[in-house]
Structure formats: structure tokens, C-alpha cells
Amino acid sequence: MDDLSLPKVMAAPKSVDIAITGRCNLGCKYCFYADEMVALRDLPTGRWLAFFAELGSLAVQRVTLTGGEVFTRPDLFELIDGVIASRMRYGLLTNGTLITEKTLAQFEQGKRRLRLDSIQISIDGSRAEIHDKTRPGSFDRAIRGLRLLVEAGFPMTVRVTITRHNVDDLENIAHLLLEDVGLKSFSTNEAYACGIVERQEDNLILTPAQRRQAMQTLTDLVARYDGRIGATAGPLALAREAERIEAALARGETGFPGRGTLCGCGGMWSKLAVLHDGTIVPCHNLSGLALGVIGEDDFQQVWLAHPTMVMLRQRHTIPLQSLETCRDCVYQGFCTGGCPQGAVFHTGEVNARNPMNCYRVFKGEDPYFSLETGGAIDYTIRQRNLWSDKGIEEISRMAMQNRATEQKRV
Amino acid sequence: MNTTESTLYIVNPDVSCREEGPDGALLFNPDTDAVLVINTTGLLIWEALRKPRDKAAVVAELMSRCNNVPADSVAGDVDEFVEQLVARGFVGIYQGVVQF
């Protein structure tokens, strides 16, 4: 497989995920961004406005503003107006707790409402005793904010992150969101291993039995609510994938078209992300892979030619057959290797599979990784890219580039 | 909206245009979330409409930049393409101010 099999890299990313602040009024127990929020400082308004103008000049189509909590920034609407002036659309990720009638009125100015793709709020339980276990002290305010936005007709999405605390509450959550609040739909994911989750005293990550339970419950709820529950990851996505794989195996098939390589993430073809101190990264879930700094590095060049981005795109050409963990797997032809975040977290390497997305691991048939420890790190080997030495050279170059960027930031 | 042969057209200033090398370009209207992929000829027309111009002036601009193309064919293409751009809000009618 060569470069010709890879998609063309567009002149600029279609969208950029931007953490505009590291401040947050909550302390959610599975926050993947918690460490960065403490370690890095916010940028002033002017730096962001100049960056939005750069994105506009590159014809980036949309940004997603996140944090921290976006509504803690007193200049949020000034930033939104900067996005609009730069000919882009925007979305907001928020915990919803700071949204009031006054907030809603502010959206009515200019094109703020017209250019809004969606506002996403996280709800993790049907009542405070459950929701607040992972998002302390926030249920009533989050639901109030959500109801205000829904009643005012805003384009809303809700994300439910499934943990050990709410896995028995999914039916009630669906009832609350779809019948009581009146959402058109909501999406689900699950808490996954990252720094802060590993440090929690109470384990949030689903046990294998709980994941199976969530898969069944969500599948039933999707049928009951006519497909109004979605997922791109987590138990529901896994349930759909499992069904597809088992059906294909029953038909005697050995794989799906376009699979069998480390192609589990398409982000490197369409988006980049920026941390709240201006560090450019491939994705907020890969915040350790610094690519540059906004206002200092040419954003388009970072997108097109940074060695890490080149390597992440090349990742799609690496056959699972070349990975020690996957070479004898019967599901190889159905697999994408999963999200790179989990690969990095569990193995320390980008060019590895994510064991949390592995169907063989899920079925308890994998010789290298066991979910019985709650997805914890009991790796027996460090995965290596056996495909070519060039991959290893690229990783070394990437590490040196990252170090240089880090020094620049200091 | 009624238009005549002398109607002036101009690009919607809110629309972004990203050139993608020999493939042409991508137009994006953030107000409507509409995307339009245009080829290199479309890009020439788009560039011509950065100033207020009627269709005849756009045709003349294209004829000056392309060799050995029949004027009738260019006029037909420009007419069809500009009307498509207007219908989708990528281009407006210029009357001192832009109207969409």
C-alpha cells in the first residue's frame, strides 16, 4: 500500500476544535482535559481574534469552542463575533450550568444564532444523586440550562458519558432527555482511561459485564425510541459493530472494505485542535503531541506538513497484520485499530491498536490485554510497529520536533 | 429577483473560497452551511465577480484569460453558473449595496 491510497490532504482543515479556556466551574471526575487545565494559561482575547482571522483566511469552515467551561470567559461573545467576522460557523461544548435567560438574549445579536451549529451539554444521570457523582453539584443547573435552550429552540445535543454510576440509569436518562426535556436525540460514550480517571478513588470505567449490559440496554432503547440515541464510540457503537462483524462472519466474510489497517481515526484529514494556551495539537485527546503555537507557527504549514500530521496520515497505511498484537487475529479484516488516544495511553505509541476498541479484547479472547482489570494497564508487551523501520524514524523525528516546540513555548 | 443583461453581480462577502490546486476550489457559505465545489473555470468566474460585474463583463474577462474558446459557449456557461451561484446565495445582485 502506498501514498496513492491515501485521501488527498485539503489545503486547510475543515474544522478546528479550540479550548478557549482552562477555567471550569465544575470538577468532573472523568475530564480528559483536567491536567492541561491546571498546567496551562488562558490566552487573551486579541490572540484568539487574530487566530480566528488566520483560520478565516484559510477558509476553515467551522470551529468548536470548548474548555474548561466556555461560559466562564467574560469575552465569550466577543470571541464568537470574531469567529463570525472570520466567515466561519461555530459550536459550543458546555456543562450548561452558567446558562441563563440573559445568556440566551445575547445569542440574538447579529449572526450569533444564525452561525451556531449546536450547543452540547453533558448529562450523566436522570437525577442529581447519579449525575452529580461524576459531575459534582451540577445537575439542577445543567438541566435548567438545557431546558432553557431547548424551549428557546436552540440546536442542542446532549452527551451521556456512561460510567459505573449511571449504567443502571440509562432508561431513566433516555426518558428524561427524550420525553421530559423533549430533545430530538442524544449521544452516548463511556468514560475511558486518561490521567484523571486513573487517579480517581472510585473506578468509573465500566466492567466487561457492565459494558455488555450497557450495549444491550442501549440497543433496546434505540429500538424503543426509533433511533434517537446515537454513538460514534462507547457501548452503543460497539454493539452495532459487534452485530455487523458477527453477521459478516456468519456469511463467511473475512473483512469489511477499507479496514485492516490503523485507519480508526479520520481526524487528521479534516481537523486540528488547539489547547487554551495556544498549542496546536492533532486532537484534544492527543494533547501531548504539540505541533506548534498559534500566532507563532504557520497554521497551514502545521496542517499540511508537520511530521506528526504526516505520520498520523501514514498511520492509515499500516496493516494490522504488521502489529504483534493483531497479526493472528481473526477479526483483523473487520478492524480499524481504534482511536489513537487509547493506543498512546495504553502502549505509549501512536502506531499501535487501541485495546479498548478491540473486538477480540471485548470477547475476552485477546492474549495481550484483559478487560477484567477494568481496562487498566496490564499490558504484557509493548506493541511495536513491525511494518518498517521508517515508522520508527518518523516517531523519533516527531519527538524531536515536539521537544523543539516545547522549548519554543517556554 | 428580476435581472437584466446589465445587472451587476458580486460575490457574497461572507462566503469563503478555498483554492485546492488544480482541482479548483471550495466555496462555503457560513450563513446557510452550503458548500459548493467549483472547477478552475468556476474559480475564474468567482474571481471575476470579486468586483461588481455584469455577465458580459465576466464573459469578456474569461475570454481574455482563455485561448480558443467560442464566445457563445462561454456566455452560456457563465449565465448558467452565475444563476446557480445567485440561487444558492454565493453571489448577490449589486445595486450600490449587495442584495441576496
Side-chain angles (χ1 to χ4, degrees), chain A residues 87-275:
Chain A
R87 302 184 297 182
M88 294 185 287
R89 296 178 65 81
Y90 72 101
L92 298 174
L93 305 189
T94 171
N95 59 43
T97 60
L98 300 176
I99 290 169
T100 63
E101 288 86 350
K102 189 179 167 190
T103 316
L104 268 54
Q106 287 179 289
F107 276 104
E108 300 306 323
Q109 292 179 29
K111 291 188 172 180
R112 292 170 181 173
R113 186 84 183 254
L114 180 69
R115 295 279 184 90
L116 175 64
D117 282 326
S118 67
I119 300 177
Q120 178 178 298
I121 292 179
S122 292
I123 300 291
D124 286 353
S126 64
R127 56 188 196 277
E129 303 91 276
I130 297 171
H131 173 96
D132 289 358
K133 280 184 178 168
T134 48
R135 310 179 68 82
S138 66
F139 180 76
D140 292 340
R141 288 177 294 155
I143 288 292
R144 180 176 181 276
L146 175 62
R147 286 188 193 279
L148 279 173
L149 289 161
V150 170
E151 285 162 14
F154 277 76
M156 293 302 303
T157 60
V158 162
R159 167 63 58 83
V160 177
T161 300
I162 303 171
T163 66
R164 295 185 184 194
H165 295 305
N166 64 9
V167 68
D168 295 323
D169 192 41
L170 296 175
E171 271 196 66
N172 296 329
I173 293 172
H175 184 275
L176 169 71
L177 296 177
L178 299 178
E179 297 188 37
D180 187 3
V181 174
L183 283 173
K184 288 178 184 168
S185 63
F186 70 91
S187 68
T188 60
N189 200 340
E190 69 181 303
Y192 58 83
C194 62
I196 192 172
V197 169
E198 293 292 310
R199 296 195 297 273
Q200 296 296 330
E201 286 182 8
D202 58 336
N203 195 345
L204 302 175
I205 296 174
L206 297 173
T207 65
Q210 287 171 329
R211 187 169 292 105
R212 286 192 179 85
Q213 174 191 334
M215 289 165 70
Q216 186 60 57
T217 306
L218 289 169
T219 300
D220 294 345
L221 287 170
V222 167
R224 186 190 307 173
Y225 287 106
D226 201 20
R228 292 166 65 195
I229 303 168
T232 55
L236 179 56
L238 181 58
R240 289 169 171 163
E241 188 73 354
E243 191 177 337
R244 277 190 74 205
I245 291 173
E246 294 299 337
L249 284 169
R251 292 191 299 269
E253 296 171 14
T254 57
F256 296 140
R259 300 226 176 161
T261 67
L262 286 175
C263 58
C265 175
M268 59 287 285
W269 306 102
S270 63
K271 63 202 298 185
L272 275 176
V274 180
L275 309 184

Side-chain angles (χ1 to χ4, degrees), chain A residues 8 11 62 89 111 115, chain B residues 14-15 20 23 30-31 33:
Chain A
K8 179 181 181 294
R62 51 186 25 95
R89 296 178 65 81
K111 291 188 172 180
R115 295 279 184 90
Chain B
D14 280 338
V15 170
E20 292 289 350
D23 296 335
D31 287 344
D33 205 9

Side-chain angles (χ1 to χ4, degrees), chain A residues 39-105:
Chain A
L40 309 175
R41 288 185 178 178
D42 281 12
L43 291 182
T45 313
R47 286 282 298 277
W48 287 121
L49 294 178
F51 178 57
F52 296 154
E54 183 181 9
L55 295 184
S57 73
L58 297 172
V60 169
Q61 294 175 6
R62 51 186 25 95
V63 294
T64 299
L65 304 181
T66 178
E69 169 50 45
V70 291
F71 284 99
T72 62
R73 270 200 83 121
D75 60 352
L76 174 63
F77 284 99
E78 191 178 349
L79 296 180
I80 288 172
D81 289 342
V83 170
I84 291 166
S86 301
R87 302 184 297 182
M88 294 185 287
R89 296 178 65 81
Y90 72 101
L92 298 174
L93 305 189
T94 171
N95 59 43
T97 60
L98 300 176
I99 290 169
T100 63
E101 288 86 350
K102 189 179 167 190
T103 316
L104 268 54

